[in-house]
Amino acid sequence: RHAANVLALRKFARAAGVPRERILVLLAEDPTLDARNPRRGQVFLHANGDQSEKDDVALDGGADGAFEEFADADYVGDEVTPELVRAVLSGRHDPRTPRSKRLESTDTSNVFVYLTGHGGDEFLKFHDADELSANEVADALAEMRAKRRYGRLVLMVDTCQAGSLFNYLDAKTTPRVLGIASAKVGENAYAGSSDADAGVAYADRFTEAAVEWLERAGPDATWGDFADALDRAPTRSTLTIHDGAWATADWRTMPLRAF
């Protein structure tokens, strides 16, 4: 379901007009060809529905609504590690890494970072063998700021205890960073309904609710509108906003589509 979370947000961004070359997708696992997937080659966000091609989040496309290309990811499987996440954010790549797999942002860029998976108090798990810690998240974003790799940055996290990943963000070392979390410290985040055919949930409640709202929202929607909507959504967990590093009050009026 975590891959479906990522692919659904990517599909929304493409439909909203974000060029593919401005999106980097890291998938720790690819569900499209997983033998356990009863709809091989397809990935859906909503369980137990009348699924059609337009609902397949594994299809790529643009603002014209013509979703024709099979989704591609920039990094997949075992290569997706905490070290890779830090390298992508900070720009510390092997010189042979193609430009298409780099985050080529500047100090005028509005950057949106989304993390999802199994997490706990101050960590996000990778392949049940490694972890990205809250300290490492803060260090990577501080390095981004020092290298002038963002102007403003929104970090959205959908994991259990997601809010704990913001514990070391501050206005001095990571200014202009807004954290949005699906669950507060000490609280679980929850999967959506289980699909009758697959036997598992397709997505998590927070991201499913977020995508549903984003698809209905108009072009003038703001991050404040988003926060208010997700605060009311039936996710069974507590929306957490970390704006201590943002240092100004204007995040609520920022247009969503500026990111």
Side-chain angles (χ1 to χ4, degrees):
R1 70 180 189 266
H2 302 129
N5 291 345
V6 173
L7 292 173
L9 277 172
R10 182 192 60 82
K11 184 171 182 177
F12 166 76
R14 293 286 289 118
V18 180
R20 177 63 182 89
E21 60 268 21
R22 290 178 55 190
I23 301 172
L24 288 175
V25 179
L26 287 67
L27 290 181
E29 59 181 11
D30 183 357
T32 58
L33 301 179
D34 192 315
R36 297 169 296 178
N37 183 354
R39 299 182 176 93
R40 291 194 79 181
Q42 297 179 305
V43 180
F44 296 99
L45 186 68
H46 308 298
N48 301 312
D50 294 327
Q51 311 290 7
S52 65
E53 185 175 277
K54 69 179 180 64
D55 301 310
D56 183 2
V57 298
L59 290 179
D60 194 10
D64 60 0
F67 295 100
E68 297 177 351
E69 296 182 30
F70 189 71
D72 63 314
D74 300 282
Y75 299 95
V76 182
D78 291 341
E79 66 178 338
V80 179
T81 64
E83 292 76 18
L84 175 66
V85 173
R86 296 198 302 268
V88 167
L89 293 174
S90 65
R92 290 184 284 108
H93 291 286
D94 184 293
R96 295 168 294 182
T97 303
R99 292 184 63 184
S100 62
K101 301 180 77 168
R102 299 172 184 246
L103 176 63
E104 297 197 312
S105 54
T106 70
D107 60 357
T108 63
S109 300
N110 292 331
V111 179
F112 175 75
V113 178
Y114 172 74
L115 302 174
T116 186
H118 293 295
D121 190 6
E122 295 193 1
F123 69 86
L124 171 65
K125 294 177 71 174
F126 285 70
H127 305 291
D128 292 325
D130 207 349
E131 297 174 354
L132 178 69
S133 72
N135 267 312
E136 289 171 322
V137 170
D139 287 346
L141 298 185
E143 186 173 350
M144 286 186 75
R145 182 63 176 181
K147 292 179 174 179
R148 300 179 179 272
R149 289 177 59 77
Y150 73 85
R152 298 181 294 185
L153 187 146
V154 172
L155 172 61
M156 190 161 80
V157 183
D158 188 0
T159 70
C160 293
Q161 304 198 61
S164 66
L165 283 182
F166 308 147
N167 281 357
Y168 304 103
L169 304 180
D170 61 66
K172 181 178 180 180
T173 59
T174 56
R176 306 293 277 175
V177 172
L178 176 69
I180 301 176
S182 61
K184 66 182 181 180
V185 178
E187 184 179 68
N188 290 332
Y190 293 94
S193 301
S194 180
D195 183 78
D197 292 332
V200 296
Y202 278 163
D204 287 297
R205 287 179 178 270
F206 174 83
T207 299
E208 186 173 9
V211 172
E212 287 180 345
W213 185 84
L214 288 168
E215 290 175 342
R216 296 192 305 268
D220 297 326
T222 67
W223 285 103
D225 296 331
F226 177 83
D228 291 342
L230 269 293
D231 192 41
R232 298 189 298 266
T235 64
R236 299 185 183 174
S237 53
T238 306
L239 176 75
T240 299
I241 302 293
H242 179 89
D243 57 6
W246 189 257
T248 64
D250 69 342
W251 69 266
R252 292 191 59 86
T253 61
M254 283 194 307
L256 273 163
R257 297 197 180 192
F259 284 74

